[in-house]
């Protein structure tokens, strides 16, 4: 493809999100897989990816305004006039139905087009049928996540009953609240320039067994509240 042909393509931003810190790193394929799918769609549909923005270790139920990567994408859009964001799937934009719909409406109000590479019409088409399908898919993704958490919780409870004690790796919220906050503040550091970002603190806390009441890694907004 010539440079002239590339310039003729519509500019777009590629966005990726990875929920678990365990799926981040050069030896993991989550981001690479998402980028490959996004780029393949862009090539087919006549888009040119002008920038990539990633949100590693960001939960699918985090509001888009609290995500560093997505916030950076919106900031760039405000400055360069690009009006399209491409994600691998609707679930990579958001797994929580409310977050997905409110986020989509916010982008739509700002004149920003959101496209899912696997089902390009899922966000672009705003007919009642398309909205219903999008909401159903979002609800299924939300249900699937809840079922996974429930299965893990059930497995821990069975192990606890079998062993007659606690299952390592999970501490009750009421027992570790003060200890967890102290650890978060230690990780943050006391200098004007913090040692770690909010996302890095959440990932470190998860490694130590500190998770939210749903059994998931803390969001950046939760860490911010914790430090306050």
């Amino acid at each position: 493809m010539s440079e002239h042909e590339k310039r003729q393509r519509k500019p777009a931003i590629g966005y990726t999100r990875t929920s678990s810190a365990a799926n981040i790193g050069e030896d993991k394929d989550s981001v690479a897989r998402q980028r490959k799918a996004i780029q393949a769609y862009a090539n087919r549909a006549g888009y040119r990816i002008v920038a990539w923005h990633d949100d590693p270790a960001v939960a699918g139920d985090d509001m888009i305004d609290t995500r560093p990567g997505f916030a950076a994408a919106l900031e760039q859009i405000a400055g360069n006039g690009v009006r399209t964001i491409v994600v691998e799937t609707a679930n990579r934009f958001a797994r929580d139905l409310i977050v997905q719909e409110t986020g989509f409406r916010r982008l739509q109000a700002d004149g920003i087009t959101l496209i899912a590479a696997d089902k390009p019409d899922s966000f672009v088409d705003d007919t009642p049928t398309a909205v219903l399908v999008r909401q159903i898919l979002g609800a299924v993704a939300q249900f699937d996540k809840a079922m996974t958490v429930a299965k893990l919780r059930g497995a821990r409870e069975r192990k606890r009953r079998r062993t007659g004690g606690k299952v390592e790796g999970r501490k009750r919220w009421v027992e570790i609240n003060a200890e967890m906050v102290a650890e978060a503040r230690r990780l943050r550091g006391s200098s004007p320039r913090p040692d770690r970002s909010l996302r890095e603190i959440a990932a470190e806390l998860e490694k130590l067994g500190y998770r939210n009441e749903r059994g998931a890694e803390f969001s950046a907004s939760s860490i911010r509240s914790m430090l306050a």
Side-chain angles (χ1 to χ4, degrees):
M1 182 185 302
S2 67
E3 287 300 320
H4 174 71
E5 289 174 320
K6 289 181 180 179
R7 286 195 297 271
Q8 291 296 104
R9 288 173 167 259
K10 296 168 287 187
I13 286 175
Y15 172 73
T16 69
R17 181 187 63 78
T18 305
S19 298
S20 174
N23 289 330
I24 300 170
E26 295 181 0
D27 59 331
K28 308 298 182 182
D29 69 343
S30 179
V31 173
R33 188 201 67 245
Q34 291 179 62
R35 288 194 176 194
K36 183 177 179 181
I38 291 169
Q39 188 63 65
Y41 167 77
N43 293 342
R44 294 193 308 270
Y47 285 95
R48 172 171 50 94
I49 302 298
V50 298
W52 294 96
H53 289 280
D54 308 314
D55 267 322
V58 169
D61 55 3
D62 282 6
M63 300 300 289
I64 62 174
D65 289 336
T66 67
R67 305 178 187 182
F70 206 90
L74 294 177
E75 184 176 348
Q76 183 174 16
I77 283 175
N80 66 8
V82 176
R83 312 309 295 170
T84 303
I85 297 177
V86 183
V87 295
E88 180 195 27
T89 66
N91 291 346
R92 286 301 165 186
F93 174 60
R95 280 190 179 275
D96 182 275
L97 177 58
I98 294 177
V99 174
Q100 187 179 106
E101 279 301 301
T102 55
F104 168 69
R105 295 298 175 187
R106 181 292 180 61
L107 296 178
Q108 188 181 50
D110 290 342
I112 299 170
T113 299
L114 180 66
I115 300 176
D118 67 329
K119 292 182 177 62
D121 292 338
S122 58
F123 286 111
V124 178
D125 190 353
D126 204 28
T127 64
T129 300
V131 172
L132 176 61
V133 170
R134 185 168 63 244
Q135 291 176 340
I136 290 173
L137 291 175
V140 169
Q142 190 173 344
F143 173 76
D144 181 63
K145 179 181 177 181
M147 285 297 293
T148 299
V149 172
K151 288 177 182 177
L152 292 173
R153 184 184 300 118
R156 287 193 299 271
E157 289 300 326
R158 287 192 295 274
K159 183 174 181 180
R160 183 176 291 112
R161 288 194 297 269
R162 189 168 60 249
T163 60
K166 285 188 175 182
V167 177
E168 293 301 323
R170 178 64 56 82
K171 299 181 180 181
R172 290 182 58 83
W173 177 270
V174 294
E175 295 174 349
I176 50 80
N177 195 8
E179 178 186 346
M180 175 185 62
V181 171
E183 184 64 27
R185 289 176 176 170
R186 184 191 69 77
L187 291 167
R188 183 66 164 174
S190 58
S191 63
R193 188 173 183 177
D195 297 330
R196 293 176 174 83
S197 69
L198 299 177
R199 279 290 161 208
E200 289 172 334
I201 293 174
E204 289 298 322
L205 288 178
E206 184 180 40
K207 291 178 183 177
L208 296 172
Y210 299 118
R211 301 179 181 88
N212 64 25
E213 291 176 305
R214 293 173 298 173
E217 181 180 303
F218 285 105
S219 65
S221 56
S222 295
I223 296 296
R224 188 182 295 109
S225 299
M226 194 183 302
L227 294 172

